Amino acid sequence: MKPATVAAQALGWIDEKTRGVSPPIHPSSTFIRDPDNLYRSGRSYSRADNPTYDQAEAVLASLENGAQAALFSSGMAAATAVFLSLAPGDHVLAPKAMYWLLRSWLMNFATHWGMKVEFVDMTELDAIKAAMRPRETKLIWTETPANPTWDITDLSAVAVIAHAAGARLAVDSTVGTPVFTRPLDLGADIVMHSATKYLNGHSDLIGGALVTRAGDEHWARIKSLRVQLGGVPGAFEAWLLLRGMRTLFPRVRTAAASAQIIAEHFSGHAQISHVLYPGLKSFPGHEVAARQMQGGFGGMLSVRVKGGEAAAIATAANVRIWKRATSIGGVESLMEHRASVEGPDTPCPSDLLRLSVGIEETSDLIDDLEAALKAVKS
Ligand SMILES: *Cc1c(COP(=O)(O)O)cnc(C)c1O
């Protein structure tokens, strides 16, 4: 089965008891112990795992071509579990352009906890090589395309750099999605998703996931941390995610096709100084993206509005169809003045609007942004 078929049929599983095409939800937090004191079902308590996770994890492992997947209560719970599975004193590389709250967690909590965190430009292979400390660097974390400038990391090249130094490569592929990028096939060891975004796609749950290339000792530590930190999803969220993933391919393909048209439309617009989108030939990471992303460049783009922060905020104030809200990857298009969210130490330009393209009619989205820009000009 091709990945789109795997997703649409959620691996084709039929519920054994009811012959249902949709799986049941298992809300039970606890499971019966056998009279001889064993747990032959393999389950004892839902902080460790829950039957409702099984199918969603299997679908995700299949889509990412990984050995195993694990659901978490949020993308942040999934991402921080990867770092916390290391030891204080370990050196890690993280990108300068990345999801802002994880960067903030790395700068504050992780550093305080004893991790040596170094932020590098992940588009510069020489800078990455120079930052590696043999035996000390345990992890390269990257995000591609990276929030909110959509920098592209050359995953195959960075995997080689990581492995040469005995480090692992973990990739936040929330924006890439398994539709366009399969980091494990390119040499990464762990893939992370905010399942809140494209995987679920309907802006109605918070969830996260990790997928591993190998069920090794590092993965066992991550799984055991999930039990101990307790960042597991509820059964209903796991079920919703499985339901959302059934339409992953058509949603994401539609959004990406629309994003490409919108990016091309606003390139060279009199009131826009830059359009940041990996699908534009003029985009610095375009060549690498064209090589490692299959079939599209994703549904996320940013525009920088001439006239600076005030003009950007005024533009967002004037849209009607785009919704002014944080988050990404839903079926409805969202627009956000990103610097307002990220705070004073953000590397995000203050004139940048982040656009999460949904599945509406493309011309409605273009006309709405055109009208908002016109209202700002007059
Ligand atoms: C939203 C997001 C996260 C965090 O995920 P949550 O589910 O909100 O915890 C991490 N990385 C990226 C790229 C995101 O967009």
Side-chain angles (χ1 to χ4, degrees):
M1 281 196 283
K2 303 247 167 35
T5 309
V6 167
Q9 299 196 352
L11 278 167
W13 285 3
I14 301 298
D15 180 52
E16 274 174 27
K17 286 222 175 67
T18 63
R19 309 305 291 152
V21 168
S22 296
I25 302 177
H26 295 279
S28 194
S29 58
T30 190
F31 300 86
I32 286 287
R33 190 188 273 277
D34 296 332
D36 59 1
N37 224 30
L38 296 178
Y39 270 117
R40 282 194 191 74
S41 72
R43 298 184 198 280
S44 59
Y45 193 56
S46 278
R47 183 158 28 71
D49 61 75
N50 175 291
T52 317
Y53 304 169
D54 294 356
Q55 198 174 349
E57 289 176 346
V59 168
L60 201 50
S62 166
L63 295 182
E64 289 290 6
N65 203 17
Q68 287 177 49
L71 300 187
F72 286 80
S73 55
S74 68
M76 280 299 290
T80 53
V82 174
F83 289 97
L84 292 172
S85 70
L86 305 176
D90 285 350
H91 178 245
V92 303
L93 301 187
K96 284 188 171 156
M98 70 183 295
Y99 179 66
W100 72 285
L101 189 59
L102 187 58
R103 181 181 64 239
S104 161
W105 183 84
L106 288 169
M107 287 194 305
N108 299 297
F109 180 92
T111 304
H112 189 67
W113 179 68
M115 185 162 282
K116 294 176 191 146
V117 186
E118 197 169 334
F119 294 92
V120 298
D121 181 347
M122 289 288 171
T123 68
E124 292 291 336
L125 296 177
D126 288 338
I128 302 170
K129 271 185 215 152
M132 294 300 285
R133 301 183 196 164
R135 288 178 304 283
E136 214 187 318
T137 309
K138 293 292 158 57
L139 180 75
I140 299 181
W141 178 275
T142 193
E143 179 179 326
T144 185
N147 247 300
T149 47
W150 321 115
D151 287 7
I152 300 292
T153 305
D154 184 338
L155 294 179
S156 316
V158 176
V160 169
I161 296 172
H163 296 157
R168 288 188 170 79
L169 173 63
V171 181
D172 182 340
S173 194
T174 299
V175 173
T177 81
V179 176
F180 298 129
T181 316
R182 299 227 287 187
L184 302 181
D185 288 353
L186 298 168
D189 301 283
I190 299 254
V191 177
M192 174 253 154
H193 285 282
S194 167
T196 313
K197 314 293 171 54
Y198 289 102
L199 292 183
N200 180 58
H202 293 77
S203 308
D204 52 12
L205 71 79
I206 300 285
L210 297 176
V211 187
T212 185
R213 189 142 64 108
D216 55 10
E217 170 266 343
H218 183 234
W219 180 249
R221 217 158 49 237
I222 288 174
K223 284 295 295 283
S224 130
L225 257 178
R226 185 178 74 159
V227 181
Q228 293 167 52
L229 298 174
V232 288
F236 186 56
E237 278 70 20
W239 186 89
L240 268 182
L241 172 60
L242 183 62
R243 179 199 163 120
M245 284 195 295
R246 287 182 182 255
T247 56
L248 176 69
F249 280 74
R251 278 189 286 105
V252 169
R253 284 171 175 162
T254 299
S258 200
Q260 180 78 40
I261 294 168
I262 294 168
E264 284 168 10
H265 177 92
F266 287 100
S267 292
H269 190 284
Q271 286 167 271
I272 303 280
S273 65
H274 302 79
V275 176
L276 307 176
Y277 184 64
L280 292 175
K281 290 207 169 61
S282 58
F283 187 78
H286 175 73
E287 255 177 58
V288 177
R291 202 173 348 108
Q292 80 182 9
M293 298 180 82
Q294 307 290 318
F297 297 92
M300 295 302 305
L301 67 140
S302 294
V303 295
R304 295 182 60 183
V305 182
K306 286 185 188 168
E309 176 162 17
I313 291 174
T315 303
N318 279 297
V319 290
R320 298 164 69 101
I321 293 175
W322 296 84
K323 300 300 173 225
R324 240 179 346 274
T326 199
S327 198
I328 68 173
V331 289
E332 62 290 302
S333 294
L334 303 180
M335 181 179 294
E336 184 175 48
H337 179 251
R338 211 40 215 166
S340 299
V341 174
E342 302 198 2
D345 55 355
T346 177
C348 174
S350 65
D351 57 4
L352 181 146
L353 292 174
R354 186 179 76 177
L355 276 52
S356 174
V357 178
I359 62 168
E360 303 93 337
E361 196 67 43
T362 309
S363 60
D364 280 344
L365 298 172
I366 290 176
D367 292 350
D368 190 40
L369 182 49
E370 282 283 10
L373 287 164
K374 202 171 207 173
V376 171
K377 192 165 73 177
S378 58

